[in-house]
Amino acid sequence: MQGLYFDELTVGQSAEISHVVGAADIEAFAEVSGDNNPVHLDDAYAKTTTFGERIAHGMLSGAYISAVLGTKLPGPGAIYLSQSLRFRRPVKIGDLVTARATVKALDAARGHVTLETVCEVGGKTVVDGEALVIAPRRGA
């Protein structure tokens, strides 16, 4: 399976995925990551926080961005070099998260692609940032 080659990318090109965050997603992420912060896992504790209920790990939204880059834009064959993330709002159980990546700049000499990344819930940004990846080249 091969994603897009560098020469198939253009500034402004974008791709997205959407996912409804369930309690099982949060619990699985906690298990895999080892982040057992009770704000993610304990209803009683979470009710005492400013959020008033359990919230998803911020990096779960980051994982959705990674899924866009690794499966759609540029897709399979892309190599992640860096990612900045700013957490703007909490993601709650039942939220539909849309993760989108948009090509911002192309560096042909290095094969680097800079992408604007964002996750939204209900049209509001919950996470934003910028990714740098290497896109595959034909015949390489």
Side-chain angles (χ1 to χ4, degrees):
M1 179 186 255
Q2 177 61 53
L4 298 172
Y5 290 104
F6 184 87
D7 66 0
E8 297 174 302
L9 301 173
T10 58
V11 171
Q13 189 173 5
S14 67
E16 65 183 38
I17 62 165
S18 294
H19 183 83
V20 175
V21 176
D25 297 314
I26 294 169
E27 291 155 11
F29 193 86
E31 180 67 28
V32 170
S33 69
D35 181 351
N36 295 312
N37 184 328
V39 75
H40 306 304
L41 303 171
D42 184 323
D43 286 318
Y45 176 85
K47 285 179 184 175
T48 69
T49 70
T50 59
F51 305 114
E53 62 187 292
R54 289 171 56 189
I55 61 169
H57 302 75
M59 291 306 291
L60 181 57
S61 292
Y64 298 144
I65 292 168
S66 178
V68 174
L69 300 176
T71 66
K72 294 190 173 211
L73 185 67
I79 304 298
Y80 226 146
L81 296 177
S82 67
Q83 174 75 58
S84 67
L85 296 171
R86 290 181 292 193
F87 303 100
R88 305 293 193 162
R89 290 181 174 81
V91 172
K92 299 178 179 181
I93 294 170
D95 282 349
L96 174 65
V97 177
T98 299
R100 183 173 45 262
T102 303
V103 176
K104 185 176 172 182
L106 297 164
D107 179 345
R110 293 181 171 188
H112 288 185
V113 183
T114 303
L115 301 107
E116 176 183 301
T117 58
V118 65
C119 290
E120 295 176 340
V121 171
K124 294 183 178 180
T125 299
V126 294
V127 177
D128 62 12
E130 187 175 279
L132 181 64
V133 302
I134 298 173
R137 294 184 187 266
R138 293 179 194 279

PDB file of all heavy atoms in Angstrom, residues 56-78:
ATOM      1  N   ALA A  56     -11.149  13.142  27.447  1.00  0.00           N
ATOM      2  CA  ALA A  56     -10.165  12.308  26.739  1.00  0.00           C
ATOM      3  C   ALA A  56      -8.763  12.877  26.931  1.00  0.00           C
ATOM      4  O   ALA A  56      -8.581  14.074  27.162  1.00  0.00           O
ATOM      5  CB  ALA A  56     -10.504  12.259  25.253  1.00  0.00           C
ATOM      6  N   HIS A  57      -7.789  12.024  26.832  1.00  0.00           N
ATOM      7  CA  HIS A  57      -6.395  12.448  26.828  1.00  0.00           C
ATOM      8  C   HIS A  57      -6.175  13.385  25.637  1.00  0.00           C
ATOM      9  O   HIS A  57      -6.656  13.093  24.529  1.00  0.00           O
ATOM     10  CB  HIS A  57      -5.453  11.251  26.650  1.00  0.00           C
ATOM     11  CG  HIS A  57      -5.587  10.190  27.674  1.00  0.00           C
ATOM     12  ND1 HIS A  57      -6.646   9.296  27.698  1.00  0.00           N
ATOM     13  CD2 HIS A  57      -4.795   9.864  28.715  1.00  0.00           C
ATOM     14  CE1 HIS A  57      -6.481   8.457  28.705  1.00  0.00           C
ATOM     15  NE2 HIS A  57      -5.373   8.777  29.340  1.00  0.00           N
ATOM     16  N   GLY A  58      -5.441  14.460  25.816  1.00  0.00           N
ATOM     17  CA  GLY A  58      -5.136  15.349  24.705  1.00  0.00           C
ATOM     18  C   GLY A  58      -4.407  14.629  23.586  1.00  0.00           C
ATOM     19  O   GLY A  58      -4.649  14.872  22.402  1.00  0.00           O
ATOM     20  N   MET A  59      -3.547  13.698  23.960  1.00  0.00           N
ATOM     21  CA  MET A  59      -2.770  12.988  22.947  1.00  0.00           C
ATOM     22  C   MET A  59      -3.613  12.006  22.142  1.00  0.00           C
ATOM     23  O   MET A  59      -3.179  11.573  21.075  1.00  0.00           O
ATOM     24  CB  MET A  59      -1.575  12.273  23.591  1.00  0.00           C
ATOM     25  CG  MET A  59      -0.520  13.253  24.117  1.00  0.00           C
ATOM     26  SD  MET A  59       0.068  14.448  22.890  1.00  0.00           S
ATOM     27  CE  MET A  59       0.954  13.353  21.808  1.00  0.00           C
ATOM     28  N   LEU A  60      -4.816  11.691  22.612  1.00  0.00           N
ATOM     29  CA  LEU A  60      -5.710  10.878  21.788  1.00  0.00           C
ATOM     30  C   LEU A  60      -6.077  11.657  20.529  1.00  0.00           C
ATOM     31  O   LEU A  60      -6.065  11.110  19.428  1.00  0.00           O
ATOM     32  CB  LEU A  60      -6.956  10.474  22.570  1.00  0.00           C
ATOM     33  CG  LEU A  60      -7.968   9.601  21.837  1.00  0.00           C
ATOM     34  CD1 LEU A  60      -7.338   8.309  21.327  1.00  0.00           C
ATOM     35  CD2 LEU A  60      -9.151   9.287  22.752  1.00  0.00           C
ATOM     36  N   SER A  61      -6.350  12.941  20.684  1.00  0.00           N
ATOM     37  CA  SER A  61      -6.585  13.782  19.500  1.00  0.00           C
ATOM     38  C   SER A  61      -5.335  13.847  18.641  1.00  0.00           C
ATOM     39  O   SER A  61      -5.418  13.819  17.403  1.00  0.00           O
ATOM     40  CB  SER A  61      -7.022  15.191  19.918  1.00  0.00           C
ATOM     41  OG  SER A  61      -8.300  15.158  20.510  1.00  0.00           O
ATOM     42  N   GLY A  62      -4.162  13.906  19.274  1.00  0.00           N
ATOM     43  CA  GLY A  62      -2.907  13.868  18.527  1.00  0.00           C
ATOM     44  C   GLY A  62      -2.775  12.594  17.719  1.00  0.00           C
ATOM     45  O   GLY A  62      -2.263  12.596  16.592  1.00  0.00           O
ATOM     46  N   ALA A  63      -3.271  11.494  18.258  1.00  0.00           N
ATOM     47  CA  ALA A  63      -3.234  10.219  17.541  1.00  0.00           C
ATOM     48  C   ALA A  63      -4.137  10.245  16.310  1.00  0.00           C
ATOM     49  O   ALA A  63      -3.812   9.634  15.285  1.00  0.00           O
ATOM     50  CB  ALA A  63      -3.633   9.079  18.470  1.00  0.00           C
ATOM     51  N   TYR A  64      -5.246  10.974  16.398  1.00  0.00           N
ATOM     52  CA  TYR A  64      -6.117  11.097  15.226  1.00  0.00           C
ATOM     53  C   TYR A  64      -5.413  11.880  14.113  1.00  0.00           C
ATOM     54  O   TYR A  64      -5.560  11.558  12.930  1.00  0.00           O
ATOM     55  CB  TYR A  64      -7.449  11.749  15.581  1.00  0.00           C
ATOM     56  CG  TYR A  64      -8.269  10.957  16.577  1.00  0.00           C
ATOM     57  CD1 TYR A  64      -9.030  11.603  17.535  1.00  0.00           C
ATOM     58  CD2 TYR A  64      -8.293   9.562  16.560  1.00  0.00           C
ATOM     59  CE1 TYR A  64      -9.795  10.887  18.455  1.00  0.00           C
ATOM     60  CE2 TYR A  64      -9.042   8.844  17.479  1.00  0.00           C
ATOM     61  CZ  TYR A  64      -9.787   9.513  18.421  1.00  0.00           C
ATOM     62  OH  TYR A  64     -10.537   8.803  19.330  1.00  0.00           O
ATOM     63  N   ILE A  65      -4.633  12.883  14.494  1.00  0.00           N
ATOM     64  CA  ILE A  65      -3.830  13.621  13.502  1.00  0.00           C
ATOM     65  C   ILE A  65      -2.826  12.667  12.857  1.00  0.00           C
ATOM     66  O   ILE A  65      -2.667  12.643  11.632  1.00  0.00           O
ATOM     67  CB  ILE A  65      -3.124  14.831  14.138  1.00  0.00           C
ATOM     68  CG1 ILE A  65      -4.156  15.886  14.561  1.00  0.00           C
ATOM     69  CG2 ILE A  65      -2.082  15.413  13.187  1.00  0.00           C
ATOM     70  CD1 ILE A  65      -3.604  16.991  15.446  1.00  0.00           C
ATOM     71  N   SER A  66      -2.162  11.872  13.674  1.00  0.00           N
ATOM     72  CA  SER A  66      -1.213  10.899  13.159  1.00  0.00           C
ATOM     73  C   SER A  66      -1.887   9.943  12.174  1.00  0.00           C
ATOM     74  O   SER A  66      -1.300   9.585  11.142  1.00  0.00           O
ATOM     75  CB  SER A  66      -0.607  10.105  14.321  1.00  0.00           C
ATOM     76  OG  SER A  66       0.283   9.124  13.863  1.00  0.00           O
ATOM     77  N   ALA A  67      -3.138   9.570  12.462  1.00  0.00           N
ATOM     78  CA  ALA A  67      -3.873   8.680  11.561  1.00  0.00           C
ATOM     79  C   ALA A  67      -4.115   9.328  10.201  1.00  0.00           C
ATOM     80  O   ALA A  67      -4.006   8.662   9.163  1.00  0.00           O
ATOM     81  CB  ALA A  67      -5.200   8.266  12.193  1.00  0.00           C
ATOM     82  N   VAL A  68      -4.421  10.626  10.187  1.00  0.00           N
ATOM     83  CA  VAL A  68      -4.600  11.328   8.903  1.00  0.00           C
ATOM     84  C   VAL A  68      -3.302  11.289   8.112  1.00  0.00           C
ATOM     85  O   VAL A  68      -3.292  10.953   6.918  1.00  0.00           O
ATOM     86  CB  VAL A  68      -5.056  12.792   9.112  1.00  0.00           C
ATOM     87  CG1 VAL A  68      -5.078  13.538   7.781  1.00  0.00           C
ATOM     88  CG2 VAL A  68      -6.420  12.855   9.774  1.00  0.00           C
ATOM     89  N   LEU A  69      -2.194  11.621   8.783  1.00  0.00           N
ATOM     90  CA  LEU A  69      -0.904  11.674   8.093  1.00  0.00           C
ATOM     91  C   LEU A  69      -0.453  10.296   7.607  1.00  0.00           C
ATOM     92  O   LEU A  69       0.102  10.166   6.518  1.00  0.00           O
ATOM     93  CB  LEU A  69       0.155  12.283   9.007  1.00  0.00           C
ATOM     94  CG  LEU A  69      -0.121  13.709   9.477  1.00  0.00           C
ATOM     95  CD1 LEU A  69       0.963  14.162  10.450  1.00  0.00           C
ATOM     96  CD2 LEU A  69      -0.251  14.670   8.325  1.00  0.00           C
ATOM     97  N   GLY A  70      -0.702   9.285   8.420  1.00  0.00           N
ATOM     98  CA  GLY A  70      -0.232   7.945   8.074  1.00  0.00           C
ATOM     99  C   GLY A  70      -1.120   7.163   7.133  1.00  0.00           C
ATOM    100  O   GLY A  70      -0.667   6.182   6.541  1.00  0.00           O
ATOM    101  N   THR A  71      -2.376   7.604   6.978  1.00  0.00           N
ATOM    102  CA  THR A  71      -3.285   6.836   6.128  1.00  0.00           C
ATOM    103  C   THR A  71      -3.820   7.611   4.925  1.00  0.00           C
ATOM    104  O   THR A  71      -4.281   6.991   3.974  1.00  0.00           O
ATOM    105  CB  THR A  71      -4.499   6.306   6.926  1.00  0.00           C
ATOM    106  OG1 THR A  71      -5.301   7.403   7.372  1.00  0.00           O
ATOM    107  CG2 THR A  71      -4.062   5.470   8.112  1.00  0.00           C
ATOM    108  N   LYS A  72      -3.776   8.950   4.974  1.00  0.00           N
ATOM    109  CA  LYS A  72      -4.399   9.736   3.909  1.00  0.00           C
ATOM    110  C   LYS A  72      -3.490  10.783   3.271  1.00  0.00           C
ATOM    111  O   LYS A  72      -3.449  10.904   2.059  1.00  0.00           O
ATOM    112  CB  LYS A  72      -5.659  10.422   4.436  1.00  0.00           C
ATOM    113  CG  LYS A  72      -6.748   9.432   4.803  1.00  0.00           C
ATOM    114  CD  LYS A  72      -8.043  10.133   5.084  1.00  0.00           C
ATOM    115  CE  LYS A  72      -9.123   9.096   5.279  1.00  0.00           C
ATOM    116  NZ  LYS A  72     -10.416   9.541   4.861  1.00  0.00           N
ATOM    117  N   LEU A  73      -2.829  11.607   4.069  1.00  0.00           N
ATOM    118  CA  LEU A  73      -2.058  12.725   3.521  1.00  0.00           C
ATOM    119  C   LEU A  73      -0.770  12.941   4.285  1.00  0.00           C
ATOM    120  O   LEU A  73      -0.810  13.442   5.404  1.00  0.00           O
ATOM    121  CB  LEU A  73      -2.908  14.013   3.559  1.00  0.00           C
ATOM    122  CG  LEU A  73      -2.294  15.259   2.919  1.00  0.00           C
ATOM    123  CD1 LEU A  73      -2.158  15.075   1.405  1.00  0.00           C
ATOM    124  CD2 LEU A  73      -3.131  16.489   3.202  1.00  0.00           C
ATOM    125  N   PRO A  74       0.370  12.537   3.776  1.00  0.00           N
ATOM    126  CA  PRO A  74       0.569  11.885   2.492  1.00  0.00           C
ATOM    127  C   PRO A  74       0.143  10.422   2.475  1.00  0.00           C
ATOM    128  O   PRO A  74      -0.038   9.843   1.417  1.00  0.00           O
ATOM    129  CB  PRO A  74       2.071  12.002   2.248  1.00  0.00           C
ATOM    130  CG  PRO A  74       2.619  12.934   3.264  1.00  0.00           C
ATOM    131  CD  PRO A  74       1.622  12.995   4.368  1.00  0.00           C
ATOM    132  N   GLY A  75      -0.010   9.804   3.652  1.00  0.00           N
ATOM    133  CA  GLY A  75      -0.465   8.424   3.703  1.00  0.00           C
ATOM    134  C   GLY A  75       0.676   7.440   3.897  1.00  0.00           C
ATOM    135  O   GLY A  75       1.780   7.820   4.294  1.00  0.00           O
ATOM    136  N   PRO A  76       0.426   6.158   3.614  1.00  0.00           N
ATOM    137  CA  PRO A  76       1.438   5.124   3.817  1.00  0.00           C
ATOM    138  C   PRO A  76       2.762   5.493   3.131  1.00  0.00           C
ATOM    139  O   PRO A  76       2.775   5.945   1.990  1.00  0.00           O
ATOM    140  CB  PRO A  76       0.803   3.881   3.181  1.00  0.00           C
ATOM    141  CG  PRO A  76      -0.674   4.109   3.340  1.00  0.00           C
ATOM    142  CD  PRO A  76      -0.847   5.593   3.139  1.00  0.00           C
ATOM    143  N   GLY A  77       3.837   5.306   3.866  1.00  0.00           N
ATOM    144  CA  GLY A  77       5.167   5.650   3.361  1.00  0.00           C
ATOM    145  C   GLY A  77       5.685   6.967   3.919  1.00  0.00           C
ATOM    146  O   GLY A  77       6.876   7.244   3.854  1.00  0.00           O
ATOM    147  N   ALA A  78       4.807   7.782   4.482  1.00  0.00           N
ATOM    148  CA  ALA A  78       5.227   9.056   5.074  1.00  0.00           C
ATOM    149  C   ALA A  78       5.999   8.790   6.366  1.00  0.00           C
ATOM    150  O   ALA A  78       5.704   7.850   7.095  1.00  0.00           O
ATOM    151  CB  ALA A  78       4.020   9.945   5.360  1.00  0.00           C
TER     152      ALA A  78
END
